[in-house]
Amino acid sequence: MEEILNREQSLDDLRQRINAKAENLLGIKWLARGNTKKSWISLAVLVAIIVVLEIVFYGTADFWPGNAFIGGGAIVIILLSIIMRHIHTRMKNASTVLQHYRALKQLINTHKLRLGAPLAVAIICWFLVKYGFDFKTESIIILLLLGGAWVIFRNLGWSYSNWYLDDDFCNDVKELSNYVDEMLDPD
């Protein structure tokens, strides 16, 4: 009986550690606070870069494609960050270990997608604004295939790497995976 209680306690501790590390490692806490010195400095640098780009490219042929590039990438980053916050909330509110593990895997996969998708979308937005829809259909198909292949390669091809995640976090995820495997196959 005591062994079962110790096991459940260690599992609860593991889940809490994973939740805390997911907040820190994926930047959810940093995005949510918005009043720390680090976030204000980062926001000021981002705005300064955008203003400089606007001034440099204003009146040139690259003005609107540059805006499409920045806007497309920023929209994807914001949307995926919102999705990650929602998944993290589901993770914290999970009633079972299996629900927690599934939400954790979704969070990691969304994190991987957040690393690759914004650039692919930004390039596609830039290309479409720069050349419009009047160029050959083959060019669109080639561009979309290259963008799609790049996203798939980034997100599925390197699935065994840590993807800028802490090694302790990855070890905790592996430990939780072992718990889940043991629960599903008690033999």
Side-chain angles (χ1 to χ4, degrees):
M1 182 69 172
E2 186 176 319
E3 182 180 321
I4 293 172
L5 290 175
N6 287 338
R7 184 174 169 84
E8 286 183 20
Q9 180 63 35
S10 69
L11 184 59
D12 288 341
D13 291 343
L14 176 65
R15 287 175 64 185
Q16 289 174 357
R17 251 190 350 256
I18 287 173
N19 289 342
K21 288 178 184 177
E23 278 186 84
N24 292 333
L25 292 174
L26 301 176
I28 294 170
K29 230 183 220 182
W30 180 76
L31 286 171
R33 278 189 290 210
N35 60 359
T36 63
K37 185 177 182 181
K38 181 180 176 182
S39 63
W40 283 110
I41 291 171
S42 299
L43 183 62
V45 168
L46 178 65
V47 169
I49 290 171
I50 291 172
V51 168
V52 167
L53 288 173
E54 292 290 320
I55 291 170
V56 169
F57 290 114
Y58 185 76
T60 67
D62 291 328
F63 180 69
W64 289 109
N67 285 343
F69 181 84
I70 292 170
I75 288 171
V76 171
I77 289 171
I78 291 168
L79 287 176
L80 289 174
S81 295
I82 291 169
I83 291 169
M84 287 176 67
R85 274 190 247 143
H86 173 72
I87 293 170
H88 186 262
T89 302
R90 273 198 351 227
M91 224 170 83
K92 290 193 306 189
N93 295 335
S95 59
T96 65
V97 176
L98 189 57
Q99 288 175 346
H100 186 264
Y101 181 68
R102 285 181 181 159
L104 175 62
K105 294 305 278 183
Q106 285 178 345
L107 186 74
I108 291 171
N109 289 334
T110 307
H111 170 69
K112 290 178 184 181
L113 189 63
R114 189 173 70 168
L115 293 175
L119 183 59
V121 170
I123 290 170
I124 290 170
C125 289
W126 173 84
F127 195 79
L128 290 176
V129 171
K130 176 102 173 155
Y131 298 108
F133 294 101
D134 294 336
F135 55 94
K136 293 181 179 180
T137 306
E138 294 84 18
S139 300
I140 295 175
I141 292 171
I142 290 170
L143 177 69
L144 293 176
L145 286 176
L146 286 175
W150 186 79
V151 169
I152 290 170
F153 178 75
R154 285 275 294 181
N155 295 312
L156 300 177
W158 295 340
S159 62
Y160 294 107
S161 65
N162 286 352
W163 287 87
Y164 308 108
L165 297 173
D166 187 10
D167 287 336
D168 291 335
F169 179 75
C170 292
N171 291 337
D172 288 344
V173 170
K174 180 128 177 93
E175 188 177 341
L176 185 65
S177 171
N178 292 339
Y179 272 115
V180 169
D181 289 344
E182 188 177 302
M183 286 173 45
L184 294 177
D185 188 25
D187 294 336

